[in-house]
Amino acid sequence: MNHRRSRMQHSGIAMVVGLFALALITACASDQPKSLPPPTPDQVRGHADRAFEKLKQEEQERAAQPPVSR
């Protein structure tokens, strides 16, 4: 009889663990990742202006440096 009771306890534990895993998977699958809002035109313009200014500055620095002889 102890053997039967032990087997029932193991199956009960396995059922609880299985239900917990199923609940965890279901809970994680239901959350939709939130995407970032699209940037506003002002943000895009600001990023482009900064990139353009950085590019101009790099070009000026290259022009000021003497050419490297090989």
Side-chain angles (χ1 to χ4, degrees), residues 15-68:
M15 188 183 320
V16 169
V17 169
L19 287 173
F20 177 75
L22 182 64
L24 184 65
I25 291 169
T26 305
C28 292
S30 65
D31 290 337
Q32 294 291 331
K34 296 179 181 177
S35 62
L36 294 174
T40 64
D42 288 337
Q43 288 173 325
V44 173
R45 192 174 300 113
H47 287 276
D49 288 344
R50 281 194 297 271
F52 186 68
E53 290 299 322
K54 184 178 177 184
L55 181 62
K56 284 194 323 188
Q57 182 180 6
E58 288 175 1
E59 286 179 347
Q60 290 172 354
E61 289 173 0
R62 275 194 217 129
Q65 293 176 352
V68 177

